[in-house]
Amino acid sequence: MKKLNKDIIIIGAGPIGIACALECKKRNWNYTVIEKGALTNSLFNYPLNMTFFSTSEKLEIDAIPFISNNAKPNRNEALEYYRRVTTSNKLNINLYEKVVQCIKNNDHFDIVTSKAKYRAKKVIIATGFYDIPNLLNVSGENLPKVFHYYKEAHPFALQDVAIVGASNSSVDAALEIYRKGGSVTMIIRGDSIGERVKYWVRPDILNRIEEGSIKAHFNSEIKHIDQSEIKVQTPDGDVTVPNDYVIALTGYRPNFKFLEAAGIKFSKDEKHIPDYNKETMESNVKGLYLAGVICGGMETHKWFIENSRIHAKIITKHIEAAFS
Ligand SMILES: Cc1cc2nc3c(=O)[nH]c(=O)nc-3n(C[C@H](O)[C@H](O)[C@H](O)COP(=O)(O)OP(=O)(O)OC[C@H]3O[C@@H](n4cnc5c(N)ncnc54)[C@H](O)[C@@H]3O)c2cc1C
């Protein structure tokens, strides 16, 4: 297989990978974005009816206007926006090509994908965290009735559904399924609904729980999942709850194995923060940059589009100095 030579390879075509591509394009660099799925694959896999907590201008890249019907855009509007930014700027993006290896050899990087081999002077990893769910690690988790992603409510009408977690995703799913005729039980490890739940959604979930239309077990964990029921450990002892589906929305994590294989080091604590220079976004591997939400390690709430879109300009400014 012939090796393709590039100045820059960007791994991941999420909002931040696209922002990096725009900056490379402006400088006429020989760059390619390699994306294993569809364009903005994480956003594509979000719940169909999700609304962003950010207003649309906070999701803009390079100040290209993002017009949405309401102040806070929905998934379809965001897909439309990032798609239009990509097509109207004719960005170089290879879709459905997975990067399996990225190794530094002397002054360059050798990148192996599912379709080709590349040699690049610099690499930007913007692979996010949405591909690997945090598992419950309980018996029965591999049954087909257990999901770690939520798309829409209709399949769960008239069904007993357990939702694990108390974050925005869990709360949105619980409310939506309840309103489409599902019987919802939330299993929550802490003693309350998550602090970061959207302020306009919070009263809704609290009231539904208080009136009993959505059941909630706080300080509780699923212990076992069966075909027709689940066992839940609660402060009052174990309870058995009738169950057709489990939706475990317990967060996601970056692909640490991939990053480690690329030579990236991490903080030794449970946060597992990758080693990078905050001024330049360059990792401990010279010439290898990190961009977007991947920078948070296990702290996946720390970075989002709003505050990480700036990474694209920081990185390309640093590369520009190295190239000149
Ligand atoms: C439900 C939900 C709501 C959110 N709401 C907001 C909000 O309102 N405001 C906000 O600012 N943020 C929000 N976020 C966070 C934000 O959407 C993400 O932070 C954003 O997608 C991060 O962009 P990114 O480009 O860093 O990563 P991603 O968008 O995750 O992009 C990473 C890309 O890399 C690709 N990839 C991964 N591995 C490989 C590989 N080996 N080879 C090739 N490609 C690969 C993936 O397929 C993916 O397309 C929300 C997140 C969720 C889950």
Side-chain angles (χ1 to χ4, degrees):
M1 203 186 289
K2 199 176 152 238
K3 230 178 228 175
L4 301 160
N5 277 308
K6 301 280 167 190
D7 288 340
I8 298 178
I9 289 287
I10 299 162
I11 310 175
I16 311 307
I18 293 173
C20 293
L22 259 178
E23 294 300 322
C24 292
K25 164 107 188 178
K26 279 198 251 170
R27 291 164 174 83
N28 273 325
W29 286 340
N30 173 16
Y31 73 93
T32 296
V33 184
I34 304 176
E35 163 58 55
K36 68 172 173 47
L39 188 69
T40 55
N41 201 51
S42 303
L43 274 61
F44 173 69
N45 286 314
Y46 285 175
L48 291 185
N49 299 317
M50 69 86 73
T51 301
F52 283 81
F53 55 78
S54 305
T55 51
S56 53
E57 78 276 6
K58 298 243 167 82
L59 302 175
E60 288 172 354
I61 46 183
D62 203 30
I64 300 170
F66 180 172
I67 315 294
S68 59
N69 284 324
N70 298 302
K72 299 179 193 266
N74 60 35
R75 168 186 171 275
N76 274 346
E77 288 171 320
L79 290 178
E80 183 74 39
Y81 173 73
Y82 295 114
R83 202 165 54 225
R84 286 302 297 270
V85 168
T86 301
T87 54
S88 55
N89 288 284
K90 298 189 175 55
L91 299 179
N92 279 334
I93 302 186
N94 295 356
L95 298 177
Y96 308 105
E97 178 174 353
K98 183 174 181 174
V99 175
V100 290
Q101 198 177 61
C102 168
I103 293 195
K104 182 156 189 192
N105 283 319
N106 303 319
D107 60 344
H108 69 273
F109 292 87
D110 288 311
I111 296 120
V112 181
T113 76
S114 51
K115 293 186 178 169
K117 287 184 176 171
Y118 301 82
R119 169 189 273 237
K121 292 178 189 156
K122 310 277 179 194
V123 172
I124 304 173
I125 300 184
T127 46
F129 59 69
Y130 203 56
D131 294 313
I132 304 179
N134 292 326
L135 299 180
L136 301 172
N137 291 317
V138 297
S139 48
E141 189 169 12
N142 54 357
L143 288 170
K145 63 181 252 183
V146 181
F147 300 102
H148 296 91
Y149 295 88
Y150 167 73
K151 203 77 192 166
E152 59 179 323
H154 180 78
F156 305 108
L158 315 179
Q159 301 293 292
D160 287 316
V161 184
I163 296 181
V164 187
S167 62
N168 270 308
S169 308
S170 315
V171 167
D172 284 351
L175 287 167
E176 214 176 71
I177 293 172
Y178 155 66
R179 297 216 156 90
K180 300 292 179 222
S183 170
V184 176
T185 303
M186 296 185 78
I187 316 291
I188 299 168
R189 201 158 52 173
D191 59 5
S192 58
I193 290 295
E195 278 167 26
R196 284 185 287 270
V197 167
K198 292 170 272 197
Y199 64 85
W200 64 96
V201 175
R202 197 181 178 82
D204 194 5
I205 189 69
L206 293 180
N207 288 332
R208 300 297 74 73
I209 291 173
E210 197 180 318
E211 72 190 17
S213 43
I214 290 178
K215 294 177 258 339
H217 291 286
F218 291 98
N219 300 305
S220 300
E221 284 183 42
I222 290 195
K223 283 288 148 206
H224 174 68
I225 302 168
D226 234 323
Q227 210 50 260
S228 59
E229 58 190 29
I230 52 172
K231 188 169 277 172
V232 183
Q233 187 181 51
T234 76
D236 305 320
D238 288 359
V239 294
T240 301
V241 180
N243 177 266
D244 297 306
Y245 290 102
V246 174
I247 306 177
L249 301 174
T250 43
Y252 305 90
R253 59 176 62 205
N255 188 341
F256 292 116
K257 273 195 191 144
F258 175 76
L259 297 174
E260 264 160 29
I264 292 178
K265 295 198 161 51
F266 297 89
S267 66
K268 297 264 183 289
D269 54 13
E270 74 287 351
K271 293 181 185 164
H272 227 58
I273 313 259
D275 186 354
Y276 67 93
N277 179 338
K278 291 181 185 59
E279 314 273 295
T280 63
M281 306 310 292
E282 189 173 36
S283 73
N284 59 286
V285 180
K286 200 163 185 298
L288 179 59
Y289 295 80
L290 297 176
V293 298
I294 199 169
C295 298
M298 287 300 283
E299 292 214 293
T300 50
H301 59 272
K302 198 167 166 189
W303 292 103
F304 28 99
I305 303 170
E306 256 193 74
N307 65 357
S308 70
R309 54 187 177 165
I310 181 86
H311 293 168
K313 285 188 195 293
I314 298 175
I315 292 169
T316 43
K317 197 172 150 211
H318 191 248
I319 294 179
E320 197 162 41
F323 278 172
S324 59

